[in-house]
Amino acid sequence: MNLKYEFYINAEPEAVWHALVSPEGTRNIFYGCVLESSFKVGEPFAYIGPGNDGDQTVHVYGTIVGYEENKMMSCIEHPGPSYYPNHEELQSRMTYTLDKVGQCTKLTLINDEWSDNHPSMKTTESHWWMILSNIKTYVETGKTMDFGV
């Protein structure tokens, strides 16, 4: 399954990028998680925050496979160890791209290359809509949405 989402955000690419990678941005849009990474191709990344294992729960981790600041980030991701005992076998690729369109930014997310029988595939499809909507709202207003979760 390939998931593809396109959002138009009323902001410059740098503002959207800041929301996607900065501790302040990710903490707001990814439910309290911070993205830890050197942002160098071939090196690890992890979204870490409150969860099953306390405040330092690893929710998603993997390897950066493409990176161009303010433009594109691609990574191979795995669910955190507290979610599935076979987390290392479960993976997909996430690619964010930002394109300037007039005075707006087009954010495209493609989530593909899913491992066979990945148990998170179906729930991820609906969760991305919430996360991407939250990114748009946060960048445009400085506030996040309350999904009641």
Side-chain angles (χ1 to χ4, degrees), residues 19-85:
L20 289 173
V21 301
S22 74
E24 174 192 353
T26 59
R27 199 175 287 117
N28 277 289
I29 59 176
F30 289 105
Y31 310 104
C33 289
V34 172
L35 173 57
E36 293 186 2
S37 179
S38 69
F39 300 107
K40 294 180 180 170
V41 172
E43 294 200 9
F45 80 92
Y47 285 94
I48 298 172
N52 297 342
D53 297 329
D55 286 344
Q56 294 298 305
T57 299
V58 175
H59 292 274
V60 176
Y61 72 96
T63 305
I64 302 287
V65 295
Y67 185 87
E68 184 180 344
E69 189 172 353
N70 296 316
K71 184 75 176 153
M72 183 273 295
M73 181 171 66
S74 184
C75 52
I76 302 298
E77 63 84 22
H78 307 274
S82 68
Y83 293 100
Y84 303 104

Side-chain angles (χ1 to χ4, degrees), residues 3 7 10 17-19 21 26 33 48 61 67 69 96 99 144:
L3 304 175
F7 270 68
N10 192 24
W17 190 258
H18 182 76
V21 301
T26 59
C33 289
I48 298 172
Y61 72 96
Y67 185 87
E69 189 172 353
Y96 296 101
D99 295 296
T144 57

Side-chain angles (χ1 to χ4, degrees), residues 12-146:
E12 294 292 322
E14 294 79 9
V16 178
W17 190 258
H18 182 76
L20 289 173
V21 301
S22 74
E24 174 192 353
T26 59
R27 199 175 287 117
N28 277 289
I29 59 176
F30 289 105
Y31 310 104
C33 289
V34 172
L35 173 57
E36 293 186 2
S37 179
S38 69
F39 300 107
K40 294 180 180 170
V41 172
E43 294 200 9
F45 80 92
Y47 285 94
I48 298 172
N52 297 342
D53 297 329
D55 286 344
Q56 294 298 305
T57 299
V58 175
H59 292 274
V60 176
Y61 72 96
T63 305
I64 302 287
V65 295
Y67 185 87
E68 184 180 344
E69 189 172 353
N70 296 316
K71 184 75 176 153
M72 183 273 295
M73 181 171 66
S74 184
C75 52
I76 302 298
E77 63 84 22
H78 307 274
S82 68
Y83 293 100
Y84 303 104
N86 63 334
H87 59 93
E88 293 172 333
E89 300 168 13
L90 305 172
Q91 70 178 38
S92 71
R93 180 178 64 178
M94 298 183 307
T95 303
Y96 296 101
T97 56
L98 303 181
D99 295 296
K100 189 166 176 59
V101 178
Q103 296 302 307
C104 301
T105 300
K106 178 182 175 185
L107 166 61
T108 303
L109 169 71
I110 298 174
N111 194 181
D112 60 1
E113 296 186 7
W114 292 85
S115 57
D116 291 339
N117 301 315
H118 195 305
S120 296
M121 198 171 356
K122 286 294 179 199
T123 57
T124 300
E125 187 173 12
S126 62
H127 287 133
W128 273 128
W129 287 113
M130 295 169 70
I131 291 169
L132 293 165
S133 296
N134 212 18
I135 292 169
K136 178 176 172 52
T137 300
Y138 176 72
V139 172
E140 291 179 348
T141 70
K143 299 175 184 175
T144 57
M145 300 172 78
D146 182 356

